Amino acid sequence: MTEQELRLAMAQAVDAVHMTKPLAPSITNFVTVDFVANAQLACGGSAAMVYLPDEGEFLAQGQAMYLNMGTLMPVYEQTIPRTVQALAAAGTPWVLDPVGLGIGSLRTWLLEQCKEAKPSIIRCNASEAIALAQLWNLTTDQESGVRGVDSTDSVEDAEAAAVALARFTGGAVAVSGELDLITDGKQIAYVQGGSELMTCVTGCGCALGGVAAVYAAVTDPFVAALTASALFDLAGVRAALFSTGPASFKVQFIDALYNASANDVANVPFSVKEV
Amino acid sequence: MTEQELRLAMAQAVDAVHMTKPLAPSITNFVTVDFVANAQLACGGSAAMVYLPDEGEFLAQGQAMYLNMGTLMPVYEQTIPRTVQALAAAGTPWVLDPVGLGIGSLRTWLLEQCKEAKPSIIRCNASEAIALAQLWNLTTDQESGVRGVDSTDSVEDAEAAAVALARFTGGAVAVSGELDLITDGKQIAYVQGGSELMTCVTGCGCALGGVAAVYAAVTDPFVAALTASALFDLAGVRAALFSTGPASFKVQFIDALYNASANDVANVPFSVKEV
Amino acid sequence: MTEQELRLAMAQAVDAVHMTKPLAPSITNFVTVDFVANAQLACGGSAAMVYLPDEGEFLAQGQAMYLNMGTLMPVYEQTIPRTVQALAAAGTPWVLDPVGLGIGSLRTWLLEQCKEAKPSIIRCNASEAIALAQLWNLTTDQESGVRGVDSTDSVEDAEAAAVALARFTGGAVAVSGELDLITDGKQIAYVQGGSELMTCVTGCGCALGGVAAVYAAVTDPFVAALTASALFDLAGVRAALFSTGPASFKVQFIDALYNASANDVANVPFSVKEV
C-alpha cells in the first residue's frame, strides 16, 4: 500500500471500531490490566480478561485477542498453549506481547509455544524484538539488552529482528520507542510522536498491544498495528501539553485516546520505506 | 417502605458508613480491584481483598462481603464455595457480582454453588440478570444477550428476571444500565442519573457492588443497593460536568463519591412501584 | 549520623536514583500493583513484578527487591521462601511489607519464613509492627489492633516494637501514620507531612515500600526508608493543595513524586532522637 492508501485504511479502522465496538479479550499481566481495559474502551472497543485454559479457548473463537506474558501464574502453563492453539485453529488475529522475556523458565517455554501459532502482531520494545528473534532462531548475531521489562536497545537496532519476525509470522511487528517501528516484513513505517512521559507510566506498551488487538478485529495486522501506534503517538503528544507529571499525563492520555477522530489518527506523521 | 421512608433510610446509611467505617472485604477480579477498593474508601468504608479459601472463610465472619466472578484462578474452586458457605452460616450480608457469566465451566459451576447461599444483593447488568435467573432455574422463557462482560439487553427487559432472583434470595437485586433497577421482589425502584461515560470506564459496576457491600454492613439489602446506586448515579452526573474523557471522568467520579453528603444521596431522583 | 549528615545522604539518594534508574522488582499484591510500579517509575526507578518461584530467585540477584504479602496465591508457598532465601544468600537489600498480617494461615507461615532472612527494611503500619514483633517473639507484652489491612494503633504505640524489629534485623523499620516513624534500632526519626487523604487512597503504604526498595538499591536501609518517607510526606502535602478528593489527590501525589528534587526531599521536616 502507498502511504496515502495506508492513511485511508487507518481512518477506516478507527471508524469501524467506533461503529462496531469489537471485543478483544486479553490474557494479560496484573500490573497494567486496568490500563489495557480502559485503553481498549477509550478507543471504542470492548474488553474481557481471563486466565483459565477453557476461558482462553472460548474467547479465542472471537474477533481478536491480546496475550501479554508480563506476569505469569502456574495455570498459564496450560492456558497459553491451549489458547494460542485455539487462536491458530480458528484463524483469529491475535497480538503477542513478550513482556519480561528472559525472566524465568516458564516465560521462555511459553514464548517457544507461541512460535508455531504465529501471532498476527508482535508488540514489544527493541530489546524484546531482538531477544524474541533469537529465541525463535530467526537471527543469530545480535545480543539483546533486556533489563527487567525495559529496553536498553534503540528501535533502529531492532529493525532486522523486527523484519525477521514479521517475515516468519506473515503478520506485523510493532516496536515501541522514541520512534515507533511497524513492519510487515516488506515495508517499515516509522511513526513520530509520543512523549518521554510514556516511559514514566507503566503499561503504555501493554495498552498499545490491547488496542492493536481491537483494530486487528477490523483490519489487517499491519494497518492495525500502525493505527494503534499512530493513535498512541498522537495521544502522547496531546497529553504532554496538559500534564504536570506522569499521573496527570496518564489521565490526559486516555482522554486523548477517547477524543481522537479517524482524521486525527490518519494524519499522524509517519514515513514508510520498502525493506 | 414509602419513598420518603426509603430516602430517610438512605441518608442514615450514608451517615452510618461515614461514622463507623465498616470493613467490606472482597474476592474480586484483577482488572478493577483497585477501583473497587478506592470506591469503598471514598464512600467511607474500608477494604481488604483476598483469594485463598481460609482467608475467605475468616473474612466471612465480618460485617459484609463482596464476591465478583470477573476473573477466576484455579484456587477459586475451593475459595468461593467455602466462603459462601461461611457467609451463609454466619448470616453475613454479601453481594454477588456474576461478571463474565457464560465464559468457562468454572464460572458456571461457581455461580451454581452460590445459589443455595442466597446472596443478600445481586449486582449485575441486564443480560447477566436474565442469564443468572435461567441458570438458577427461576425463569425459563428468556434468552440473554451477554457478550463478554457487556450487556446487550436493556434494564427494563431484565425486570422479570430481577424480581424472580430477589424473591428467591429474599434479598435485593440491582441491575445497572441507563436507568438502574433495584428490587427486593416486592417493590422496584428506578434510579436516574449517571453518565454515558460510565460505559467507557472499566469497573463502574464492580465498584458499585463493592460499595453496596459497604452499605449492606449498616442497613438492609434493598436500602443498601438503592443507596449505592443513588450515590453512583449522583457521582456520574457530577463527574461528567468536569471531565474531558473517561479517565478524567473516573478521577472526578471517585472524588464525587467522597464528597457526596447523606442529603445529596437521599435526594437523587428515583421512583418506586409495587411489583 | 547527625541530622545534617542524614539530610545530605537523603539528597544523594534522590540524585543517585534519578541518575542510575535502579530496578527494584516486586512480589506484591494485586490491588495496588499498578500504584507501586508507577510510584517507583515516578521517583526515577524501574519496576518489574513477578509471582513464580524461579522468577523471584532470579530477580533476587539484582539491586533491591520489594515483597508485599497483601494478597496471596497458592504458589506463594514456594515463591516467598525461595525468594527470601535467595535475597539473603545474595545479600540483596529488600523491603518486607506484612500487609494483612493475621488473615489466613499461609500469610502467618510466610511471615515466619521471612524472619531468618532478615529484611533490610520493614514497611508497615503501627498495628502490623506490633503484631510482627509478637509473631517473631521479639516482644510479648502488647496487643495489636490490626483490622483487615488498617491500623487501630498509633505510630507512637509501635515505637518499642519497631525498635525491637530493627535491632533484630540489623536494618530499618518504617511505620506509617500521621507521623512516620523510621528507626534503625539506634535512632528514631519522626517525619512530618502527608495528608489525611492518604488514608482514603488504597496503596500509599505499598507504594512507599516499593519506593523504599528503589532507594535501598543506592543507600543504606535507614537512609532509604527515611528518604522514601520524606518524599511521600512532601508529596502528600503538595497533592492536598490541588485536589478535590482522593482520586485527584492520587494523581497529584504521583506527579509530586516525579517533580520532587533532591533538595526538596532533604528539607522535609523531621526530628531524630537516640533510642
Side-chain angles (χ1 to χ4, degrees), chain A residues 30-32 35 70-74 102-107 147-150 197 199-202 243-251, chain C residues 20-23 30 33-34 37-38 41-42 46-52 54-55 58-59 63 73 75-76 250-252 254-255 258-259:
Chain A
F30 302 119
V31 188
T32 66
F35 190 5
T71 58
L72 302 177
M73 283 284 160
I103 302 175
S105 58
L106 179 58
R107 192 174 279 101
R147 191 195 69 143
V149 298
D150 298 325
L197 280 168
T199 63
C200 301
V201 175
T202 192
S243 56
T244 58
S248 57
F249 175 83
K250 183 178 173 181
V251 170
Chain C
T20 65
K21 207 184 170 184
L23 173 63
F30 302 118
V33 58
D34 168 271
N38 277 316
L41 297 187
S46 182
M49 275 64 181
V50 298
Y51 300 94
L52 299 183
D54 72 325
E55 298 175 346
F58 174 76
L59 293 175
Q63 296 172 269
M73 283 284 160
V75 73
Y76 279 53
K250 183 178 174 182
V251 170
Q252 294 291 330
I254 295 173
D255 280 8
Y258 177 80
N259 289 309

Side-chain angles (χ1 to χ4, degrees), chain B residues 20 38 51 133 161 184 239:
Chain B
T20 66
N38 278 316
Y51 300 94
D184 61 0

Side-chain angles (χ1 to χ4, degrees), chain B residues 28 32 35-37 39-40 43 66 68 95-97 121-125 173-177 179-182 191 198 202-216 224-234 253 257:
Chain B
T28 190
T32 66
F35 190 4
V36 171
Q40 291 182 316
C43 79
Y66 174 60
N68 175 309
V95 179
L96 172 66
D97 207 330
I121 299 173
I122 297 166
R123 206 302 309 172
C124 56
N125 65 35
V173 175
V175 184
S176 306
L179 281 179
D180 290 328
L181 176 162
I182 297 97
V191 188
M198 293 172 83
T202 191
C204 288
C206 308
L208 174 60
V211 167
V214 169
Y215 288 121
L226 185 57
T227 305
S229 296
L231 173 62
F232 270 56
D233 279 320
L234 170 75
F253 181 82
L257 294 180

